[in-house]
Amino acid sequence: MKEPKDSAHKLLRYCLAMSFLLPACSFAAEVQELRLWQAPDHTRLVFDLSGSVDYQLFTLSNPHRVVVDIENSSMAGNFSNLDFADSPITGVRSAVREGNTLRMVIDLGKEVKPSSFTLLPNSELGDRLVVDLYDTERAAETVRPVSSIPSPSMDKRDIVVAISAGHGGEDPGGIGFDGRLKEKNITLPMSHALFDVLEAMPGYTPIMIRDGDYYVELQQRPQIARENRADLFVALHTDWYKSSNAKGLTIYALSGDRADRENARRVAQKENSADLLGGVGGDIDLDSWDDDVALTLLSLQMAWSMEQSLVAGTRILESLDGITRLRRDKVQQASLEVLKSPDIPSILIETGYLTNPEEARRLNTSSFQRRMAQAVAQGVVNYFYDAPPEGTLIAWQKENGIVPGSYTVKRGDSLSVIAQRFGVSLSDLKSSNGLQSNTIHVGQVLTIGGISLEPAEHTISRGETLSEIATQYRVSLSSLRQANNIAGDRIMIGQVLKIPAS
Ligand SMILES: [Zn+2]
């Protein structure tokens, strides 16, 4: 934690010293910077402040404006180069009123619904005032339930996996060992990679909780998953520690504690009760039960979700064991805000430490991000094949003895017959195998719901040894030598090694 209020302390000392001369001296704050983030349904303005402030916000129309009066404040930054493209904002002005109130006027091209709050200093940033401008037109369409999207096979639904890329926008997450790498910039491409792998799998529909560099509230994340009827919620993060030695991957699962409290709160509020159990258990309307029964139903649902979170986490951990170092070889249960959905099995993966230079460099490469995504997807697929939700294509495949993976073309096979046999669409089968035409030949191996791991590459940096690299990627030293035609242990800085499948 750094000391962000240094200047405020100096000012305080100055004011105390001068107070007998200047009775009006107050704890003035400066607006130092203004930042802007565009989310699908709102624009976030963040005012960076030199100290805490009192403020008032109101709207004016004709033309539409949002006015923020910040008491005892002055303007220190210059916002002339802010880019308001794609936002409802046409400009930001400021003026000092009544001696020491700073009035910020946000000029708008159309009406918005504002909401605002202040944030206390954290290890990275000082006091902030956040103003969210919700788009009144777009708000209704931000969450598009996937139930309306037809699945590849008419009557068999897809398994829906909600992917939550940690942090975003105003919230950078952890900062790397070099002071520059940001967690939010690792979790998003990794989530996109996971999305791509799952989307290519017949029987799966992934959804992105956030799809760009903006922040989605923690409480809203499971809510979006629920509205999309997700069968599993996967949050991707990177870890942080004060020393650079900490390393390895950790998986957390939905914990009873928080979910229990969440259940009680929901029952008390009867909040979204019709939707609450919709994710997995059909629609049970809590309003039609008294509170005791409702709580019992939710508890049963939650016991199931917790157990499933552990099972799913374990399958994913097994799958990741081959590609990265594990900090814990068992799924951890934690009371994390984002894992509080009582109805959807939920896991959070800390994929490695950004504060560890070796892991950070690896996490920041797209090949490792894809490899990580493929291993997570493999774990997800293994989990669902064990116990597929009723009515899904995967359940149907399992009933019909179809094991996702590879299929070797036999005499008399045609692509459309194979597609039919596996319950996948012809176009899915072709795209997942990179086929341009319908021509196949006997002995050809087709991928059907299988995932192959990205061959990894590793660029050698100063001080690394071949055996360390082998350990890092969980491959044997001899297979690493063989894959790279190396006889001894000699490697060079900057040399690119192929990492074989373990
Ligand atoms: Zn995080």
Side-chain angles (χ1 to χ4, degrees), residues 152-153 156 202 393 396-397 402 418-425:
S153 318
K156 301 176 212 74
L393 176 67
W396 178 87
Q397 285 184 336
I402 297 164
I418 296 169
Q420 210 173 18
R421 195 182 306 148
F422 285 84
V424 301
S425 74

Side-chain angles (χ1 to χ4, degrees), residues 31 33-39 41-49 53-60 65-70 79 82 84 87-89 91-93 102-108 110-119 127-135 169-170 214-215 217:
V31 177
E33 210 178 321
L34 180 57
R35 289 173 292 137
L36 179 128
W37 308 98
Q38 186 63 48
D41 62 338
H42 71 277
T43 303
R44 169 164 288 189
L45 277 171
V46 180
F47 297 82
D48 286 302
L49 307 163
V53 294
D54 285 323
Y55 73 97
Q56 282 185 312
L57 181 144
F58 56 93
T59 56
L60 295 170
R65 281 154 291 166
V66 168
V67 179
V68 188
D69 282 341
I70 308 174
F79 317 137
L82 266 184
F84 299 124
S87 84
I89 303 171
V92 175
R93 299 173 278 140
L102 177 68
R103 168 161 289 190
M104 306 279 309
V105 179
I106 303 161
D107 291 311
L108 300 159
K110 59 180 169 184
E111 192 180 1
V112 297
K113 269 209 192 81
S115 114
S116 65
F117 53 94
T118 55
L119 289 170
D127 279 284
R128 284 150 292 162
L129 167 62
V130 179
V131 177
D132 286 334
L133 306 171
Y134 282 89
D135 201 317
E170 153 67 3
Y214 54 87
Y215 187 70
E217 303 296 332

Side-chain angles (χ1 to χ4, degrees), residues 62-305:
N62 210 5
H64 293 295
R65 281 154 291 166
V66 168
V67 179
V68 188
D69 282 341
I70 308 174
E71 285 172 30
N72 297 328
S73 294
S74 61
M75 178 62 73
N78 175 9
F79 317 137
S80 56
N81 51 6
L82 266 184
D83 182 10
F84 299 124
D86 297 327
S87 84
I89 303 171
T90 55
V92 175
R93 299 173 278 140
S94 71
V96 176
R97 282 168 44 90
E98 289 159 16
N100 53 4
T101 296
L102 177 68
R103 168 161 289 190
M104 306 279 309
V105 179
I106 303 161
D107 291 311
L108 300 159
K110 59 180 169 184
E111 192 180 1
V112 297
K113 269 209 192 81
S115 114
S116 65
F117 53 94
T118 55
L119 289 170
L120 293 170
N122 61 24
S123 61
E124 304 301 329
L125 298 158
D127 279 284
R128 284 150 292 162
L129 167 62
V130 179
V131 177
D132 286 334
L133 306 171
Y134 282 89
D135 201 317
T136 46
E137 289 149 32
R138 271 191 291 184
E141 52 176 79
T142 49
V143 177
R144 240 174 265 111
V146 292
S147 50
S148 58
I149 300 170
S151 64
S153 318
M154 297 295 284
D155 54 340
K156 301 176 212 74
R157 79 167 176 94
D158 277 4
I159 287 171
V160 178
V161 180
I163 305 165
S164 175
H167 312 277
E170 153 67 3
D171 169 18
I175 304 292
F177 71 100
D178 58 355
R180 288 200 312 272
L181 270 180
K182 296 188 178 103
E183 178 176 356
K184 66 170 187 175
N185 293 335
I186 309 277
T187 58
L188 186 63
M190 203 184 274
S191 298
H192 275 138
L194 179 55
F195 180 94
D196 290 345
V197 181
L198 287 174
E199 184 161 58
M201 304 279 302
Y204 286 87
T205 294
I207 59 152
M208 294 285 281
I209 300 288
R210 80 169 168 100
D211 203 10
D213 188 15
Y214 54 87
Y215 187 70
V216 178
E217 303 296 332
L218 289 182
Q219 304 90 314
Q220 213 192 332
R221 294 183 185 229
Q223 184 60 30
I224 294 172
R226 183 173 299 122
E227 281 165 39
N228 284 282
R229 308 240 148 173
D231 297 280
L232 180 68
F233 179 92
V234 179
L236 294 178
H237 283 254
T238 64
D239 230 331
W240 185 94
Y241 196 64
K242 53 185 184 286
S243 97
S244 62
N245 299 331
K247 55 193 173 192
L249 172 143
T250 317
I251 298 188
Y252 296 94
L254 171 70
S255 120
D257 241 30
R258 184 182 283 280
D260 260 336
R261 268 181 279 128
E262 181 70 4
N263 281 347
R265 187 183 69 77
R266 278 174 186 281
V267 168
Q269 297 183 355
K270 298 267 160 76
E271 176 194 56
N272 298 313
S273 51
D275 284 338
L276 187 54
L277 298 171
V280 283
D283 295 85
I284 300 175
D285 184 358
L286 293 185
D287 281 332
S288 61
W289 306 92
D290 65 39
D291 285 359
D292 279 357
V293 178
L295 198 53
T296 306
L297 282 173
L298 270 185
S299 292
L300 284 172
Q301 181 74 62
M302 196 204 69
W304 177 86
S305 298

Side-chain angles (χ1 to χ4, degrees), residues 346-359:
S346 305
I347 61 154
L348 184 148
I349 310 177
E350 295 280 8
T351 52
Y353 281 82
L354 274 200
T355 40
N356 179 306
E358 170 205 311
E359 291 198 346

